[in-house]
Amino acid sequence: MITLAQYLNEHSANAAVSDLITTVTEVGKTISQLLQKGALADILGEAGNQNVQGEEQKKLDVLANDMLLKALAQNPHCAGVASEELDHATPANKDGSLLILFDPLDGSSNIDINMAVGTIFSILPYQRQGHSSEDQDFLQAGSQQLAAGYLLYGTSTMLALSVNDKVVMFSLDPDSGDYLLINDHVQIAADTSEYAINASNYRYWRKPMQQYIDEVIAGETGVRGRDFNTRWVAAMVGDIHRILCRGGLFTYPFDTKYANKAGKLRLMYEANPMSLLIERAGGMATNAVTRILDIEPTDIHQRVPVVLGSKNEVDYIKQLHIQHGE
Ligand code: AHG
Ligand code: MN
Ligand code: MN
C-alpha cells in the first residue's frame, strides 16, 4: 500500500507544503491516541475559559491547539499560524514560504460523548518572505490555497487531502503508525437525497432556506417528488466525510440567531478548506449564492453561511435564493 510520505513524494509539487502536511498529520497521530484513551488521559471536559469566538473551550480544544501550534512554529517552511482558538495569528519563521490555518478540534461538543471529531487545515502561500507575518497576510481568498485537508478521528482515524487537482483519502494504520492510501480519486455524485442541517434554527433562517427544508420534508408528496433523509454529526468534519464518501448536502445557513454572525462556521478554518475538497471532488460550495472560494476575507475569524456538497442540490438552493432576490 502507498504511504502518505510516498504519495506526497510523487504527487505534491511543493516540498514545503508536503513538509507542513507531515507536521500536521504527525500531531494528528498524538491527538488520535489521546482520544482513544479518552477519560483515562484526562482530556474530557471544559478548559474553563472562552476562545476569541466567545465559545467555551474544551480541554482538548486547548491541547490540540497547543500541540499543533508548537509543532508548526518549529517547521522552517512555516511563516505563520492562525487558529480558530487564538485571537491573533502567531508569526513563525519569517523566511518560510507558507502560512497555515487550522481548526484544531472540530466538533468540540462531541468530545465528551465519544463521537467523531476532527482537525481541519488550510495552507496558503506567504507573500512577504523576510518579514514577520501578521494577521493581514492570512486574508487571502480560498482559491489561493495550496493544499487543504482534515483528519477525522472516528472509529478509525482518516485523512482527506488535496495537494493537486484531486482529493485522496488515507487511513491511519494503528499497527505501523502509517497513513495508508485507501482512495486515490474521491468523487461526489451530482444528485443526492441526503441532507445535513441543524433544523432547530429554522425560525432564524431566510425564506429560501425555509422553503428548501419545507420541500425536502414534504418529500414525494411535494414539488421534489422524492423522499429525502437527514444526517447531522454536529462535527463538520464528520458531515463532510460522509459527503465525500457517498454524496449529500451540508448546510449551516445564514441565520439571525446571534447579532453580527452570518451563520456559525468560520471562513478561514472550516469553510475554505472544506470547499476546496468538495470542489475538487466534483461538488459545489457556496454561501447560498456566491462561491465560497471567491470570498475575499476581511477578518481571520469571520463567519460565513455554508451550503456545500452534491452539485445539483447546492445549485437548487442557489436558484431558490436568486428567485427570492437574496
Ligand atoms: P467547533 O467544534 O470547531 O466549534 O465547530 C463546530 C461546528 C461544526 O463542526 C458543526 O457542524 C457545527 O458547529 C455544529 O453546530 P450545532 O451545535 O449548532 O449543531
Ligand atoms: Mn469547527
Ligand atoms: Mn474547533
Side-chain angles (χ1 to χ4, degrees):
M1 290 189 88
I2 298 168
T3 65
L4 174 62
Q6 288 167 336
Y7 179 85
L8 290 172
N9 215 13
E10 274 181 42
H11 298 278
S12 166
N14 184 327
V17 168
S18 303
D19 202 44
L20 234 55
I21 291 169
T22 304
T23 299
V24 172
T25 52
E26 284 302 309
V27 175
K29 288 181 192 172
T30 309
I31 298 173
S32 169
Q33 284 162 1
L34 286 172
L35 280 160
Q36 272 164 24
K37 289 192 179 169
L40 306 178
D42 191 26
I43 55 158
L44 307 188
E46 309 292 327
N49 34 35
Q50 283 191 345
N51 67 8
V52 60
Q53 328 265 345
E55 298 161 341
E56 290 301 327
Q57 287 180 311
K58 299 275 183 186
K59 280 184 198 165
L60 200 60
D61 287 325
V62 177
L63 212 57
N65 179 72
D66 293 353
M67 287 192 295
L68 283 165
L69 182 63
K70 189 169 173 221
L72 287 162
Q74 286 170 5
N75 187 307
H77 303 293
C78 180
V81 184
S83 164
E84 179 187 280
E85 301 296 336
L86 298 173
D87 298 18
H88 292 285
T90 307
N93 180 357
K94 64 181 170 44
D95 295 319
S97 59
L98 302 171
L99 300 172
I100 185 159
L101 305 97
F102 55 76
D103 176 354
L105 215 290
D106 177 65
S108 303
S109 72
N110 279 356
I111 299 170
D112 295 348
I113 57 166
N114 199 13
M115 290 292 140
V117 292
T119 297
I120 311 171
F121 61 92
S122 159
I123 298 175
L124 288 166
Y126 182 47
Q127 317 285 9
R128 292 193 309 118
Q129 269 176 282
H131 303 273
S132 183
S133 67
E134 296 166 5
D135 286 9
Q136 192 73 18
D137 294 306
F138 290 78
L139 302 182
Q140 305 178 41
S143 55
Q144 300 301 309
Q145 291 172 104
L146 299 171
Y150 64 75
L151 283 150
L152 169 65
Y153 314 108
T155 47
S156 58
T157 292
M158 293 185 65
L159 166 72
L161 180 68
S162 183
V163 291
N164 45 36
D165 58 348
K166 289 209 292 189
V167 178
V168 292
M169 275 184 198
F170 298 82
S171 195
L172 177 60
D173 178 0
D175 297 328
S176 67
D178 285 325
Y179 290 94
L180 301 176
L181 187 68
I182 54 163
N183 187 339
D184 69 353
H185 195 197
V186 176
Q187 281 285 294
I188 304 172
D191 289 304
T192 183
S193 294
E194 200 161 66
Y195 67 95
I197 193 166
N198 182 342
S200 66
N201 295 320
Y202 180 94
R203 72 184 184 282
Y204 300 110
W205 300 335
R206 286 177 169 152
K207 276 270 163 316
M209 190 50 72
Q210 290 178 333
Q211 182 182 327
Y212 174 72
I213 294 302
D214 291 344
E215 287 183 7
V216 294
I217 287 174
E220 64 176 359
T221 66
V223 294
R224 299 303 301 272
R226 67 181 199 274
D227 285 342
F228 284 73
N229 193 26
T230 308
R231 288 287 182 269
W232 186 250
V233 180
M236 187 188 196
V237 160
D239 284 308
I240 300 305
H241 189 70
R242 184 185 61 255
I243 290 171
L244 290 177
C245 290
R246 67 177 190 214
L249 176 98
F250 171 88
T251 177
Y252 213 110
F254 178 92
D255 67 45
T256 56
K257 192 169 184 179
Y258 302 105
N260 306 323
K261 286 184 186 173
K264 180 176 184 184
L265 299 177
R266 282 119 314 196
L267 176 63
M268 310 291 294
Y269 317 109
E270 294 165 325
N272 272 342
M274 292 312 201
S275 296
L276 191 83
L277 296 178
I278 292 289
E279 280 199 6
R280 288 186 176 169
M284 185 171 167
T286 69
N287 68 358
V289 180
T290 304
R291 183 182 181 228
I292 284 176
L293 295 179
D294 285 339
I295 295 173
E296 292 292 341
T298 53
D299 185 306
I300 55 168
H301 295 302
Q302 85 188 65
R303 297 178 192 251
V304 67
V306 170
V307 182
L308 54 73
S310 290
K311 213 172 198 160
N312 292 344
E313 208 59 23
V314 177
D315 193 52
Y316 187 88
I317 293 177
K318 178 176 174 174
Q319 298 314 321
L320 285 180
H321 281 75
I322 290 170
Q323 283 161 27
H324 282 78
E326 298 280 2

